[in-house]
Amino acid sequence: MTTTAQQPATPVQPVSPGSPEEPAGQPKVVQRPGDRIFSGSTLAAGILILVTLAAVAIFLVAQSLPAFTADESDIKGGATNFFSYVWPLVFGTVWAAFIALLIAVPLAIMVALFITHYAPRRLAQSLGYVIDLLAAVPSVVYGLWGIGVLAPAVQPVYNWLVENMGWFPLFAGPVSGTGRTILTVGIVLAVMILPIITSLSREIFLQTPKLHEEAALALGATRWEMITIAVLPFGRPGIVSASMLGLGRALGETMAVAMVLSPSLIISLVLLQSQNPTTIAANIALNFPEAHGVGVNILIASGLILFVITFVVNFISRAIVDRRKAFSGAN
């Protein structure tokens, strides 16, 4: 009976990660230098934005502290403290921006729908260029237009409104003799934010799935019915975002408001009188050259209030968009 000698077992060498014998299910991820540079630069840009925002907030808070305890003699307009001084400015800022948004949003939606669904291609392209060109006009030009063209043109309309609709509180008299009222400022701001809202709404409407539009038309809907059941529901979050972006522009506008408006530190909803509430940005621009000492801190503190208002507006708009983002053209 023969016996076979057993050979000693060969030890199994461990496979080091990244070796050529690494299992196929665990491929090694090789990051190229370009990828590392790009990811690092984007990370640095994001951190830079946060640092800049934090630096602005810290500066505003630090410089605003003396204004909260300022003496009554250091505050203009007969206010007893800072908050009684800034409250009319907050009201004027929000009121002027609301008027502008009330005028601009419906007009922008109609223009965007006309460009995307009604106008011939050549006319739509030309009209889109003209709308985009309005965004490049400096605010000082809008201010000059408001003083020299718009205010004299709307003065007869204001007279007619006071004479025939003066019983309505918003149109109560006496009417301004120059036409430089809060309503004129609202119209100027509406023209300024119109290209922003129109351009974004136009791009949103163009993203509406063709399947939804064709399905509505195939079921017998007219073009307007197709827009109401397919285009507008799909574009509602984008319209909200565009409106909030335009609202941010209207809240922070300075030169056009300072040039057109006849300002006063009052709280009034009347649209056509000569005494009008002013805005925070316009008040800072008009009073900063002459401010000194605590007066500078008071103006910076009002800027902090504007900073908080814009932050709240952006937060609300983000909440609205997030609530509607479940609707998608793909579902």
Side-chain angles (χ1 to χ4, degrees):
M1 181 176 182
T2 60
T3 59
T4 305
Q6 295 184 353
Q7 299 294 332
T10 305
V12 178
Q13 298 293 332
V15 179
S16 60
S19 64
E21 300 180 3
E22 186 175 359
Q26 299 178 1
K28 180 182 179 181
V29 178
V30 179
Q31 192 174 23
R32 299 178 179 178
D35 295 335
R36 290 194 295 268
I37 294 174
F38 180 76
S39 61
S41 60
T42 53
L43 177 62
I47 295 175
L48 181 61
I49 292 176
L50 296 178
V51 170
T52 303
L53 184 63
V56 171
I58 292 173
F59 166 79
L60 291 175
V61 172
Q63 294 295 321
S64 300
L65 293 178
F68 299 145
T69 58
D71 190 72
E72 183 178 350
S73 59
D74 296 326
I75 303 176
K76 293 183 179 181
T80 57
N81 54 59
F82 170 74
F83 295 100
S84 61
Y85 167 80
V86 78
W87 171 241
L89 300 177
V90 172
F91 171 81
T93 301
V94 176
W95 182 229
F98 175 76
I99 295 173
L101 211 61
L102 196 64
I103 298 173
V105 170
L107 184 60
I109 293 175
M110 289 188 291
V111 173
L113 288 175
F114 176 76
I115 292 175
T116 55
H117 290 84
Y118 287 94
R121 180 173 299 180
R122 291 185 179 179
L123 178 60
Q125 188 175 11
S126 302
L127 188 58
Y129 288 152
V130 172
I131 295 298
D132 294 338
L133 185 62
L134 290 177
V137 178
S139 59
V140 65
V141 175
Y142 282 111
L144 293 174
W145 171 74
I147 295 175
V149 178
L150 182 61
V154 298
Q155 182 60 35
V157 180
Y158 291 172
N159 291 329
W160 184 89
L161 288 174
V162 172
E163 292 175 1
N164 296 274
M165 301 185 65
W167 51 269
F168 191 64
L170 294 180
F171 302 138
V175 66
S176 172
T178 61
R180 298 169 61 180
T181 67
I182 191 69
L183 181 56
T184 306
V185 169
I187 296 173
V188 173
L189 291 177
V191 175
M192 295 181 68
I193 67 177
L194 182 64
I196 299 175
I197 304 176
T198 302
S199 299
L200 294 178
S201 300
R202 180 187 63 199
E203 296 301 324
I204 292 297
F205 294 156
L206 289 174
Q207 298 302 319
T208 305
K210 292 298 181 182
L211 182 61
H212 289 191
E213 297 181 1
E214 294 173 357
L217 295 173
L219 291 175
T222 63
R223 182 177 299 183
W224 171 244
E225 290 173 342
M226 178 270 294
I227 290 174
T228 57
I229 64 179
V231 178
L232 292 180
F234 177 84
R236 188 174 294 127
I239 294 174
V240 173
S241 300
S243 302
M244 293 300 104
L245 189 61
L247 178 60
R249 170 72 186 275
L251 289 172
E253 180 53 42
T254 304
M255 289 307 302
V257 178
M259 295 173 66
V260 175
L261 193 63
S262 299
S264 301
L265 288 177
I266 61 172
I267 298 177
S268 175
L269 292 172
V270 182
L271 299 175
L272 308 178
Q273 293 182 357
S274 57
Q275 287 188 332
N276 304 276
T278 187
T279 65
I280 294 176
N283 182 72
I284 294 175
L286 293 174
N287 293 300
F288 197 84
E290 301 176 357
H292 61 278
V294 181
V296 176
N297 299 107
I298 293 175
L299 294 179
I300 294 177
S302 63
L304 174 63
I305 301 298
L306 181 60
F307 182 83
V308 173
I309 292 175
T310 55
F311 179 81
V312 171
V313 168
N314 290 332
F315 179 80
I316 294 174
S317 63
R318 177 56 58 186
I320 295 174
V321 173
D322 289 342
R323 189 178 63 181
R324 291 290 305 171
K325 71 180 181 180
F327 179 85
S328 171
N331 55 21

